[in-house]
């Protein structure tokens, strides 16, 4: 089996999900993991017989054997890392979001274009079997023309306080970090582009913490070029689990996507009929999707075919996220064209 | 058993649902039905052994035996009919919406207040077992503080062309006729009042009919005083049936309300696992709720207790509907306070 | 509307369900209710404006105006009452089971045949929307040839001690009183006749009551003429509600029938995803089916068409029940032909 | 990480599922695969970078580095292979069934006892998350005393004709090959032992093939020592997928286990509400369970703890299977004690 040699930049939570998946793929040789703080990664890696981390990601960039890199570094560094890798002729799989800086995104897209490398963005939910099936119904025409899309994404637990001081500064909001998945999903589940955004957020989970000013619960409405509509709601804290649902409603019917749950066992008692809760951790819920997106990327590299989630998908989702943030801040409808 | 003597004004589709239900209630004596075009009603009534219609509703108003009236006339006449009945000392059950004219609504509320009669508005969905259970979970505290409400109402079939020329004129829109149910539901499923509305509609079902200008597919976002949020989506045409769902998400959990379906039989074949569709007609889906609301009204009359859906509920839902219409027309956020 | 004049014999629990339903049917005039202990019925009847009971059922039998009778008397009297009514030229709707005495059943069938009256047996579950849909899938060929039928019937609460000393004597067992519904259902959900029965019962609910000897939990296997198989399980006590399910599996697929529940509301909490329990009372669960079977009977009478559940259905279900009882007692397979 | 060195004997369908799983386990070193016809295995193994097969399983038996063997050879050879491995001091994970020969099973159990090696039987369904959850509810007491167990196992596609001439001769029947999983499941989902068996089979799928005499559709009733009852139904051909369900009903409630399906997407159309079908292949459906059982075995070996499915479980399931076969052949109830 042909093996593609890769390096992973960033060995945090998502990085490790990728590393674990990659180690099971016979078509990939993971040569390096790079992380500025390898001490947080190496004990686990040693236990798992996985590659130990180098501190300097330049080792990966400089090694001509490395054909592709997987970027799991902080989002604010994505654009620069993509540019650097592309200039070294390495294909890039980059975690979402593309970058917070639109001009950096555009520049990276130019370099990718010029160098001809493959760039795939890490919108893993497109590879989740549930949402992929909804997309399939869209593409086969089973839904007819799309009229309304509904997306619900609720995290099981609000991020730790530290999250609010992480790199990203003013742009690191629920819209650019969490809802951006849903903005990409909205585009994945429709055949039209977003033209208008209205977003309204509230600080509800952290109501009693004056030191936090960011909203944690939002609803967002998108209007597409063809008049179809999308409603997204997000929360950072659903006590019953990681709530990830979607629905596409069209002229011929609708598709609904429900949660993956722990098991198909249901308890029937005098208290009620008690089913299992949604899966909680990102690895349980989206572990397979993380694996599938990397396999698709490697396939695109090995067979020289287009990637399934490209730079433009990364750009559009960030534009919508920025429009949403602006809409919430100024309490008005924002057109995507204002930000282009 | 004590019997309350009533008259029904208006024997159209909804009127007949009420008449049929009332004829089964031992606690009610239906003395009259009034309709300006009795020829459309009387054949059915004769077959069912139900009271024949009188043409002039004044017969009901003038008869001192009639203790209560049920108003199923066109919405634009509601306010005047309520005032007239109240002045005759008759209790009133009035179909939704209250009226399109806010000043008429306010005047009717004053007369009701002054005469001391009972006025119940026909927001029947509050009496549907599914939504009633969601409300119960809200009231028992099982959901904690409400953060997000989601409501989906889709009709199985768009109204006939005639609908677009019915009395009501400019105010007869999807917001005042259909979404008004959802605006009431949003208030029923929360403990806070609506302060801000954003609505966005598209003409999608009737895309190819230039003679129709009204939108038929809408999404609407409500913000409540306590910061909680609500998203509503409506369509006049869901090919798979009458789609009526809701969801309330709070700090302690969520309640979801799914559709009532034709039966619990599921077919498992090589094509897929095929469940039954949602109930289609208003009588199938909400027949019981229509009965329950009238029984509650009669109980309030007989026992002199407060009604469960009062004039203020009728006023608030119409204010929200007007705000939504304005929001859609002017593509901006509208505050309820602007219309008060 | 044409009205058929009827009398009801027996005003116990099931009798009242019928009486309540009948009072809502414009096509029926309920002239009499007969019950040997009217004092237990009349207060309720007076409150509901329903006919008061006469003590002697002969009043019904002797009145030439009465076209049809509904028999809700104890099962041991069914055969004799049917014969008496038939000889008076009255159509008969008789509650299940037909009778415990096979020779009495056969004699009644002869009299029915000779007099030409309509006799319908009260296997109401055939008229339940869920099981009726499964039957429809069978008849339209959607299931192909039937291979396996599964039926689960569990009562929410074991009958009171008094049940064990009620008329019926030795024949009054779970097989002849409860499972008989399932034996009829098995025949309703297949195109072949039962030839062999194996039943195994245990006394589990009443394990600690030595004074009770009857089994309360059973499984029963039926083999049909064409080789298809059926498994039935019964319990008199399911703490989570009235559990009524069935499944038919064939060459082209399967149909499963799940329980009717209180509402479509589901609570999602940190404890689990909690759905509503199955409906509990016979009136909640099968009220509509009781109404539908009587409407079908009246229709057969008024239009002179065949009844949908006839004497042979009553005979066959009792033969299977007796075979099951014998199988359990002698711990062996029993052929239906042994009892014919 | 500590690594246990193992060899796999038999590289057929189930063998490969194990090999694929094992290659992903950092705690295992797969040194050998043995198969008498390596040409059917080696191309795949080479592609996957997996160990190539040796022809003679003795290589595994003779290598002192091999600590444990996984036996996936034909069932008729299981007993002898277990004995041989045990005598070489190697731990054994053996696919189901234990063996068709009861005396061979007993001899193997003696050798295992004497040598002190670990022997785990491959009843993988115990490790499936759905059935494991049902077992957990049983063990935590959530169900109270068990009254009735229901198990449905239907294969998506009947085995090829060749199956009917495979090693195993007269004993290779649906009871010993397929239902044996359910017999083990029945014991796993109860706290009592089986004492009596009644089985009834029909040749329905292959009705038109006179050359086949074996039954392909069966129902089987088990009675346990404490009076609780179990019904199992099997079919070798469910056109809608691999149908694997179970239910345990007790004094405090019930647990139902439904199928794993392809995705949580549901299509709502004018034809009906169409959900996804059950997973079809053994690897899709039980791939995780196959992995989990081997991980549990390796854990028992490394930590010297008892295995979760032992020789007695293998013996009891085969005794029940033989009793079922006899019951079907002689159309009578068979006691387990007859076969001991």
């Amino acid at each position: 089996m042909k093996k593609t040699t890769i390096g992973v930049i960033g060995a945090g939570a998502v990085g490790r999900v990728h590393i674990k998946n990659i180690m099971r793929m016979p078509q990939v040789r993971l040569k390096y993991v790079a992380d500025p703080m390898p001490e947080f990664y190496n004990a686990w890696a040693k236990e798992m017989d996985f590659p130990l981390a180098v501190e300097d990601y330049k080792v990966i960039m400089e090694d001509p054997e490395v054909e592709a890199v997987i970027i799991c570094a902080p989002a604010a560094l994505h654009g620069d890392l993509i540019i650097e890798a592309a200039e070294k002729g390495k294909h890039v799989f980059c975690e979402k979001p593309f970058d917070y800086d639109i001009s950096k995104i555009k520049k990276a897209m130019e370099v990718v274009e010029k160098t001809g490398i493959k760039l795939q963005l890490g919108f893993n939910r497109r590879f989740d079997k549930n949402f992929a099936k909804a997309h399939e119904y869209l593409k086969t025409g089973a839904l007819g023309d799309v009229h309304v899309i509904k997306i619900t994404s609720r995290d099981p637990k609000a991020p730790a306080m530290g999250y609010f001081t992480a790199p990203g500064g003013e742009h690191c909001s629920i819209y650019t970090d969490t809802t951006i998945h849903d903005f990409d999903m909205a585009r994945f589940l429709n055949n039209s582009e977003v033209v208008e955004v209205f977003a309204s957020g509230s600080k509800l989970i952290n109501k009693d913490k004056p030191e936090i000013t960011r909203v944690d619960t939002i609803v967002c409405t998108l209007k597409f070029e063809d008049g179809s509509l999308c409603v997204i709601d997000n929360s950072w804290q659903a006590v019953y689990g990681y709530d990830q649902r979607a629905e596409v409603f069209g002229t011929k019917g609708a598709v609904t996507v429900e949660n993956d749950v722990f098991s198909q066992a249901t308890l029937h008692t005098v208290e009620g009929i008690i089913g299992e809760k949604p899966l909680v951790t990102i690895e349980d819920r989206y572990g397979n999707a993380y694996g599938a997106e990397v396999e698709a990327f490697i396939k695109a590299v090995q067979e020289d075919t287009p990637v399934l989630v490209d730079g433009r998908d990364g750009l559009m989702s960030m534009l919508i996220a920025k429009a949403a943030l602006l809409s919430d801040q100024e309490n008005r409808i924002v057109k995507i064209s204002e930000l282009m």
Side-chain angles (χ1 to χ4, degrees), chain A:
Chain A
M1 182 174 278
K2 194 184 162 202
K3 277 178 184 294
T4 299
T5 300
I6 67 169
V8 170
I9 299 175
V14 172
R16 289 185 201 191
V17 173
H18 284 304
I19 290 164
K20 214 165 156 184
N21 281 327
I22 288 166
M23 290 306 292
R24 293 176 176 178
M25 296 178 193
Q27 71 274 39
V28 182
R29 172 187 172 221
L30 176 56
K31 186 164 180 190
Y32 299 109
V33 171
D35 197 281
M37 295 179 291
E39 60 276 20
F40 292 117
Y41 163 78
N42 280 340
W44 177 76
K46 204 164 179 180
E47 172 71 7
M48 304 291 280
D49 264 346
F50 289 171
L52 298 189
V54 296
E55 238 173 88
D56 188 354
Y57 77 94
K58 295 273 183 193
V59 175
I60 293 175
M61 294 293 188
E62 300 302 331
D63 185 340
E65 265 191 18
V66 174
E67 294 160 87
V69 298
I70 294 186
I71 299 174
C72 306
L77 309 175
H78 285 181
D80 287 332
L81 287 167
I82 293 168
I83 290 166
E84 188 171 351
E87 286 172 344
K88 296 285 182 187
K90 298 184 194 316
H91 302 292
V92 178
F93 176 96
C94 180
E95 262 307 313
K96 49 66 51 182
F98 197 145
D99 201 294
Y100 297 124
D101 181 338
I102 297 293
S103 63
K104 188 76 60 72
I105 289 175
K106 286 183 175 168
K107 174 141 188 248
M109 286 172 75
E110 277 165 33
V111 178
V112 166
E113 175 77 23
K114 200 183 59 193
T115 57
I117 63 134
K118 310 277 179 202
L119 168 65
Q120 183 175 324
L121 267 295
F123 286 110
N124 61 309
R125 294 184 191 178
R126 293 189 179 211
F127 296 85
D128 174 69
K129 65 183 188 303
N130 303 307
F131 298 116
K133 186 75 191 181
H135 177 75
E136 184 190 320
Y137 282 134
L138 172 78
K139 291 302 177 185
T140 59
L143 309 174
D145 296 335
V146 171
H147 285 185
V148 178
I149 296 168
K150 286 166 58 187
I151 300 171
T152 289
S153 296
R154 297 174 189 151
D155 284 351
K157 204 173 174 331
M161 282 297 288
Y163 171 81
F164 299 98
T165 53
E170 61 176 299
H171 295 306
C172 177
S173 78
I174 192 169
Y175 298 108
T176 50
D177 269 19
T178 297
T179 327
I180 198 163
H181 269 303
D182 306 309
F183 294 139
D184 183 67
M185 185 55 62
R187 293 180 66 249
F188 183 58
L189 296 179
N190 205 349
N191 295 313
S192 182
E193 273 295 354
V194 174
V195 291
E196 225 172 80
V197 179
F198 169 67
S200 184
S202 287
K203 196 187 75 166
L204 296 173
I205 300 164
N206 295 314
K207 203 173 252 182
D208 305 329
K209 295 189 189 135
E211 70 274 24
I212 296 179
T213 55
R214 288 185 195 157
V215 301
D216 47 41
T217 306
I218 64 109
V219 300
C220 184
T221 303
L222 308 178
K223 192 161 204 167
F224 293 81
E225 212 172 350
D226 64 0
S228 58
L229 301 159
C230 173
V231 289
I232 295 167
D233 75 283
N234 278 178
S235 167
W236 269 338
Q237 190 173 287
V239 295
Y240 53 88
Y242 197 11
D243 193 353
Q244 303 280 296
R245 291 171 288 151
E247 176 175 339
V248 187
F249 168 71
T251 47
K252 290 193 185 162
V255 57
T256 51
V257 173
E258 294 297 320
N259 285 310
D260 276 339
V261 296
F262 278 99
S263 86
Q264 300 304 320
T266 301
L267 185 64
H268 307 241
T269 74
V270 75
E271 309 296 336
I273 309 304
I274 306 169
E276 292 256 31
K277 291 192 288 183
L279 295 173
V280 169
T281 68
I282 276 198
E283 194 164 351
D284 279 352
R285 180 62 184 84
Y286 286 120
N288 287 335
Y290 278 107
E293 67 178 349
V294 171
E295 290 194 322
F297 169 66
I298 297 296
K299 192 163 183 284
V301 166
Q302 293 187 347
E303 304 182 359
D304 193 14
T305 51
V307 296
L308 295 176
V309 195
D310 63 15
R312 192 164 177 279
D313 293 318
L315 169 66
M316 289 309 298
S317 52
M318 183 49 73
L319 283 171
I320 303 170
K322 284 183 175 268
L325 181 58
L326 193 61
S327 169
D328 187 357
Q329 286 167 343
E330 303 187 352
N331 204 27
R332 65 174 181 93
I333 290 103
V334 174
K335 291 189 193 306
I336 294 299
S337 57
E338 295 180 37
L339 301 174
M340 277 174 130

